[in-house]
């Protein structure tokens, strides 16, 4: 499955999503590794089968096996961290923020991809998962490592479109089952 197959699977009411997929796939603000890792991490974050298969196929042509694993790990670790830290952020009792998380996050020390790439992927996944605390933390790290606002925005745009595509395909699959 390819991104074109994914675009073809979208119904006519989601034409804007199809157009956005095309424009993001040809985006040059991010390097290919940054862009396709972001697509893959976001696909794994949403977990819709067609979307995962399409971006797995596309990314496998553009990323090393190590980068593919790192992108998947960004979705995995943020799936945990986004729930935990979003909860702390939302809770009125500030004492929870003083307690150690006691969650293993070893992958963050050595994710198998360059820091900026991994942080872009974590930022995008955090946007999908709705964790403002994690978005802020990763955006700060990205800025410290020289990423531009336009690059960070591109990762968020990818997250938004992958999320929307996945939701449309899941809804259409529900109608057809």
């Amino acid at each position: 499955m390819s991104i074109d197959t994914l675009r073809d699977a979208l119904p006519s009411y989601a034409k804007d999503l199809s157009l956005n997929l095309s424009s993001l796939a040809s985006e040059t603000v991010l390097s290919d590794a940054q862009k396709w890792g972001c697509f893959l991490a976001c696909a794994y974050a949403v977990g819709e089968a067609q979307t995962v298969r399409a971006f797995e196929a596309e990314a496998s042509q553009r990323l090393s096996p190590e980068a593919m694993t790192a992108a998947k790990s960004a979705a995995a670790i943020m799936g945990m961290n986004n729930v935990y830290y979003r909860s702390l952020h939302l809770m009125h009792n500030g004492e929870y923020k003083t307690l150690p998380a006691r969650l293993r996050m070893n992958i963050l020390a050595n994710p198998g991809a360059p820091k900026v790439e991994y942080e872009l992927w974590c930022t995008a996944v955090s946007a999908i998962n709705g964790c403002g605390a994690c978005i802020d933390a990763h955006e700060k790290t990205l800025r410290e490592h020289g990423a531009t606002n336009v690059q960070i925005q591109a990762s968020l745009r990818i997250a938004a479109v992958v999320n929307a595509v996945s939701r449309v395909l899941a809804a259409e699959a529900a109608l057809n089952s």
Side-chain angles (χ1 to χ4, degrees), residues 74-122:
I77 199 73
M78 289 301 105
M80 176 184 72
N81 284 358
N82 294 156
V83 169
Y84 181 76
Y85 288 106
R86 181 178 64 231
S87 297
L88 294 184
H89 178 74
L90 294 172
M91 294 175 84
H92 293 288
N93 183 344
E95 185 178 344
Y96 292 103
K97 292 177 185 170
T98 68
L99 300 173
R102 298 172 80 168
L103 296 170
R104 295 203 182 271
M105 301 177 226
N106 296 333
I107 192 71
L108 297 176
N110 188 15
K115 184 74 169 168
V116 170
E117 287 175 16
Y118 197 74
E119 291 291 328
L120 282 167
W121 305 340
C122 289

Side-chain angles (χ1 to χ4, degrees), residues 5 15 39 42 60 63 81 84 95 103 105 119 126 147 172:
T5 306
K15 182 178 181 184
F39 273 122
C42 290
S60 70
L63 298 176
N81 284 358
Y84 181 76
E95 185 178 344
L103 296 170
M105 301 177 226
E119 291 291 328
S126 295
E172 290 295 318

Side-chain angles (χ1 to χ4, degrees), residues 108-142:
L108 297 176
N110 188 15
K115 184 74 169 168
V116 170
E117 287 175 16
Y118 197 74
E119 291 291 328
L120 282 167
W121 305 340
C122 289
T123 303
V125 171
S126 295
I128 288 171
N129 293 335
C131 183
C134 291
I135 293 168
D136 284 342
H138 292 290
E139 190 268 347
K140 181 181 181 213
T141 300
L142 281 164

Side-chain angles (χ1 to χ4, degrees), residues 57-82:
E58 292 284 348
S60 70
Q61 298 174 32
R62 297 167 171 87
L63 298 176
S64 69
E66 296 80 16
M68 299 240 340
T69 299
K72 294 173 193 180
S73 78
I77 199 73
M78 289 301 105
M80 176 184 72
N81 284 358
N82 294 156

